[in-house]
Amino acid sequence: MRLVYYEMKKLFDWKNILLIILINIVMYYLFIDFDIKHFPNGRPTLDEYHLSKEMIEKYGVSIDEKEFTDLKKWYNDMVKQADQYIQSREDFAHAGIRTYEDFRTADLSNDELDVEQVDLFLKLEALEYIMERYEMRDRWIKGLYEELTPKQEGKINQIIDSGTYQSILPWFVFENYNRIIKNVTIIIIVSIIVLLSPIYVSDKRNHVRLLQYTSKKGRSVFTTKMITALISTILLITVQLIGYFTIYSQNQVHMFFASKVNSIFNDVQLWYDLSFFHYNVMTVVAIYLLGIILSLIVCFISSISSNYLMVIGIQVPIFLGLVGYLLKYLIENVTTLRLPEYLAPSLYMALLFIGIIFMILRWKKEKVLDIV
């Protein structure tokens, strides 16, 4: 373990740490900052967020028919308030608008009517959207998908029959988390590549292998470095996830953690009956697994490369393929009903198998490699 400690000190030297910190800061402001500062983004989304919070406080994490009747009463009370407000405004009277129902059907192109910032109207609009989704819940959830396989159709029917899809989870909460976790994953991928790329090639560049491979103990350095890479990857991911989830907590969505993802208020349905918190946990596990796979691949590339330019040249297409194509299956849309049920687990198993096989083959070659 002492050799692992020394190897980790080499990886986590102050230059590498500083570079990783700078990468995280720059990429955070490029890809994540907006989803933290501007959540919920715009109105009436902001009003829907506050209404959903109030609904959870009042009804719990889901809503049934009895509670929906109370919600309609809540709506009618707000309509009465809107009627009173409209009747107090002379510009509305001149435009022939005397009730909220008149307001909903009126032509609002009149420049004299300033209604854009009337909080009550925006709140009513958000509540109407929530009520419409509930009232059309069966038709709406089936309308999410144009074509369904028999298995997907069976899952949709199971979600409807279970009744759990009446969970209160706004679509923008789930969408915001998915965007953030995808971009956090990209930052973690870049950080792992920067951290581990020199792990083997640096010894070649410094001609250290000439000394290492003259003894049996020196031959074991290859395995030591691989163990170091895996431990360092887990440590790096843990520190980054703690930091980013601390920042994410500013979005104040903890009240939705117990809500089911399969919800009439969410635009994405999953193969598995997960709460929003369990979905968070699943994506975190997926990131660790992806990090381990990536560390094996980066180590393999570093071990077969003779210089840093070669390491970069091989990794660029892998990075582009991973970020541009595979992440939408491995992180962003993991377990979504739109994709085959076992696609994500199969991809993870295949990638992990490839990474392990590559490193085993390289390890066997390193045991008998001649140093010339």
Side-chain angles (χ1 to χ4, degrees):
M1 287 302 296
R2 188 165 55 184
L3 286 177
V4 171
Y5 172 73
Y6 288 142
E7 289 293 336
M8 286 184 69
K9 281 185 67 176
K10 286 165 61 179
L11 288 179
F12 289 101
D13 72 350
W14 70 269
K15 292 178 182 177
N16 281 347
I17 292 174
L18 181 60
L19 180 57
I20 290 171
I21 289 172
L22 288 174
I23 288 170
N24 276 257
I25 291 172
V26 171
M27 294 186 74
Y28 169 79
Y29 282 105
L30 283 175
F31 302 116
I32 298 175
D33 184 58
F34 181 87
D35 284 315
I36 300 295
K37 285 185 177 177
H38 300 281
F39 174 82
N41 186 14
R43 304 187 72 178
T45 304
L46 177 63
D47 303 272
E48 190 180 340
Y49 167 76
H50 289 303
L51 281 167
S52 299
K53 284 176 61 178
E54 290 181 59
M55 287 168 64
I56 283 184
E57 290 171 5
K58 200 170 184 179
Y59 308 129
V61 296
S62 63
I63 182 169
D64 58 25
E65 287 289 347
K66 184 179 178 181
E67 291 163 339
F68 183 68
T69 301
D70 182 72
L71 186 67
K72 287 193 286 188
K73 183 178 178 298
W74 185 10
Y75 172 78
N76 291 331
D77 290 340
M78 281 199 291
V79 169
K80 290 177 183 177
Q81 294 176 39
D83 289 343
Q84 292 172 3
Y85 174 79
I86 289 169
Q87 290 160 14
S88 70
R89 295 256 307 247
E90 292 185 6
D91 52 343
F92 280 92
H94 292 153
I97 300 173
R98 294 178 178 80
T99 65
Y100 177 68
E101 188 60 34
D102 293 338
F103 171 79
R104 289 184 66 193
T105 57
D107 178 10
L108 300 178
S109 60
N110 188 339
D111 293 338
E112 295 179 4
L113 295 176
D114 182 16
V115 297
E116 291 185 1
Q117 298 303 319
V118 179
D119 289 345
L120 184 56
F121 293 162
L122 292 168
K123 192 172 183 179
L124 278 165
E125 182 183 343
L127 190 50
E128 287 162 4
Y129 174 75
I130 290 171
M131 291 170 61
E132 182 183 8
R133 278 213 168 185
Y134 185 88
E135 289 172 331
M136 301 179 64
R137 53 193 181 276
D138 291 358
R139 190 189 312 172
W140 176 84
I141 202 168
K142 289 180 179 179
L144 280 173
Y145 308 94
E146 293 181 2
E147 296 182 6
L148 291 172
T149 65
K151 192 172 184 180
Q152 288 171 322
E153 189 173 1
K155 180 60 183 179
I156 288 290
N157 291 330
Q158 181 188 335
I159 291 171
I160 292 172
D161 294 340
S162 69
T164 57
Y165 71 136
Q166 295 172 189
S167 164
I168 302 170
L169 179 67
W171 61 271
F172 51 85
V173 171
F174 186 79
E175 185 180 272
N176 173 263
Y177 175 77
N178 261 3
R179 279 199 307 270
I180 289 174
I181 203 66
K182 177 189 175 183
N183 288 323
V184 166
T185 306
I186 293 172
I187 296 172
I188 288 173
I189 288 171
V190 174
S191 301
I192 291 172
I193 290 173
V194 170
L195 180 72
L196 298 185
S197 289
I199 192 165
Y200 288 105
V201 74
S202 61
D203 285 354
K204 295 179 185 178
R205 293 280 298 167
N206 297 327
H207 305 292
V208 176
R209 292 208 315 170
L210 296 174
L211 296 174
Q212 291 174 345
Y213 281 44
T214 55
S215 67
K216 185 177 180 180
K217 186 70 175 175
R219 294 273 175 173
S220 67
V221 170
F222 181 86
T223 307
T224 302
K225 285 180 177 289
M226 185 172 64
I227 295 170
T228 301
L230 294 173
I231 295 173
S232 300
T233 295
I234 292 170
L235 177 62
L236 180 63
I237 292 174
T238 301
V239 171
Q240 287 179 295
L241 286 179
I242 289 172
Y244 285 117
F245 270 103
T246 301
I247 295 170
Y248 176 65
S249 67
Q250 296 176 39
N251 281 5
Q252 294 292 311
V253 296
H254 57 277
M255 70 289 298
F256 301 113
F257 279 166
S259 299
K260 298 294 184 181
V261 173
N262 290 338
S263 164
I264 53 174
F265 304 113
N266 187 20
D267 293 337
V268 176
Q269 308 299 308
L270 306 180
W271 282 105
Y272 310 114
D273 187 29
L274 302 176
S275 69
F276 185 47
F277 175 76
H278 290 145
Y279 181 80
N280 281 216
V281 172
M282 183 182 68
T283 55
V284 167
V285 172
I287 288 172
Y288 275 106
L289 187 54
L290 184 60
I292 290 170
I293 292 167
L294 184 63
S295 66
L296 292 173
I297 293 172
V298 172
C299 283
F300 174 75
I301 293 170
S302 182
S303 69
I304 64 171
S305 300
S306 55
N307 53 63
Y308 293 118
L309 189 61
M310 186 176 175
V311 173
I312 295 170
I314 298 174
Q315 286 181 351
V316 165
I318 294 175
F319 172 78
L320 293 177
L322 184 59
V323 172
Y325 185 72
L326 285 180
L327 272 195
K328 64 183 177 182
Y329 302 114
L330 297 173
I331 299 292
E332 191 177 10
N333 293 304
V334 63
T335 74
T336 179
L337 199 58
R338 294 184 185 275
L339 300 173
E341 182 178 2
Y342 299 110
L343 177 63
S346 299
L347 283 173
Y348 275 110
M349 289 179 64
L351 290 172
L352 185 61
F353 178 76
I354 290 169
I356 291 172
I357 290 298
F358 278 1
M359 286 306 292
I360 289 174
L361 292 175
R362 188 62 192 174
W363 171 68
K364 287 184 176 180
K365 187 171 183 180
E366 289 287 328
K367 286 173 66 177
V368 297
L369 189 68
D370 289 331
I371 301 299
V372 180

